[in-house]
Amino acid sequence: DQQVKQNSPSLSVQEGRISILNCDYTNSMFDYFLWYKKYPAEGPTFLISISSIKDKNEDGRFTVFLNKSAKHLSLHIVPSQPGDSAVYFCAASASGGTSYDKVIFGPGTSLSVIP
Amino acid sequence: EPEVTQTPSHQVTQMGQEVILRCVPISNHLYFYWYRQILGQKVEFLVSFYNNEISEKSEIFDDQFSVERPDGSNFTLKIRSTKLEDSAMYFCASSEEDGTPLHFGNGTRLTVT
């Protein structure tokens, strides 16, 4: 039961261009979405988040877009840099009123930024 | 910047043995989690812990698993009798408040032979 899907296991982008990573979810109760970045031999690190009351959140080169009706979100990185090469996990949680206990991760997309 | 630390980085154990994975969450964080990632698969939620008790657990977290916060700084995951399929990278995470992003440790690679 894949509640959070990242259908592209890998993506290659030229340095300086835009990277677009996509994520789809099935659980309509999800109301908080996050992107984590993971380098080899390290734990995931938080990148950016968005709550369901917004449709866009921007932080420097990173922008997350949320389309609730399509149950789709995307992460845009522009301009892409070689140091952005990592696995990107989309994650989602449902507040259930008070708790964000259980964050569900997608399978990840491996981004390679080519110099 | 404060970080979550996990020890050991790699644990090898024989099937049927007990293992304890250790984590030191960020000191002012109140919510603690264990996740695991089997090689080539996605990161899976195991358990969350708050106020000295489990707040939620997944179907993976069966009777063979337990968590404990034995003192003010450590957070441990115990697997009572390991199975081959428990081989995975286990990540500890903590968060400051309910609803804030998780901070992950670098993981413990558990290999069950």
Side-chain angles (χ1 to χ4, degrees):
Chain A
D1 176 25
Q2 271 202 24
Q3 297 187 66
V4 179
K5 304 177 188 182
Q6 293 176 258
N7 292 323
S8 298
S10 63
L11 176 68
S12 286
V13 172
Q14 285 289 132
E15 181 179 3
R17 308 292 285 265
I18 185 170
S19 295
I20 300 176
L21 298 105
N22 293 303
C23 176
D24 297 287
Y25 60 96
T26 58
N27 189 341
S28 57
M29 299 299 292
F30 287 147
D31 58 3
Y32 185 54
F33 305 91
L34 312 96
W35 285 94
Y36 285 82
K37 179 169 75 171
K38 185 184 180 302
Y39 293 117
E42 294 183 15
T45 56
F46 169 72
L47 199 56
I48 192 168
S49 65
I50 189 167
S51 76
S52 58
I53 61 172
K54 300 175 82 171
D55 54 20
K56 177 182 173 181
N57 189 27
E58 195 170 347
D59 183 3
R61 296 185 297 115
F62 302 92
T63 303
V64 56
F65 295 92
L66 175 62
N67 182 334
K68 287 192 295 291
S69 61
K71 293 192 179 72
H72 176 83
L73 63 153
S74 60
L75 175 68
H76 292 210
I77 307 172
V78 55
S80 302
Q81 298 172 354
D84 296 329
S85 297
V87 176
Y88 288 78
F89 292 100
C90 173
S93 70
S95 64
T98 57
S99 171
Y100 290 99
D101 275 345
K102 191 164 66 175
V103 174
I104 306 296
F105 284 80
T109 296
S110 178
L111 173 66
S112 296
V113 179
I114 304 160
Chain B
E1 184 177 321
E3 56 184 27
V4 176
T5 56
Q6 289 186 245
T7 55
S9 57
H10 192 185
Q11 174 89 48
V12 181
T13 189
Q14 287 193 320
M15 196 168 56
Q17 296 296 303
E18 174 184 286
V19 291
I20 297 176
L21 309 182
R22 302 180 190 279
C23 170
V24 179
I26 294 173
S27 61
N28 63 331
H29 285 190
L30 301 177
Y31 294 80
F32 313 112
Y33 311 81
W34 283 100
Y35 284 77
R36 78 173 186 190
Q37 185 179 24
I38 295 171
L39 188 64
Q41 298 185 26
K42 63 180 181 179
V43 178
E44 300 174 294
F45 168 78
L46 293 179
V47 66
S48 59
F49 192 87
Y50 169 72
N51 200 26
N52 282 321
E53 60 183 24
I54 290 173
S55 45
E56 191 157 358
K57 60 184 180 180
S58 71
E59 56 276 4
I60 302 168
F61 194 89
D62 61 22
D63 292 344
Q64 294 300 310
F65 290 88
S66 61
V67 289
E68 196 177 32
R69 188 156 163 80
D71 52 42
S73 60
N74 290 283
F75 179 51
T76 61
L77 174 70
K78 182 194 292 186
I79 309 175
R80 208 178 331 273
S81 175
T82 50
K83 303 189 281 282
L84 294 176
E85 54 265 37
D86 293 327
S87 295
M89 183 72 88
Y90 287 80
F91 292 105
C92 173
S94 66
S95 64
E96 187 174 356
E97 297 173 5
D98 193 17
T100 57
L102 307 180
H103 294 252
F104 285 84
N106 285 339
T108 293
R109 179 171 297 285
L110 176 65
T111 303
V112 182
T113 61

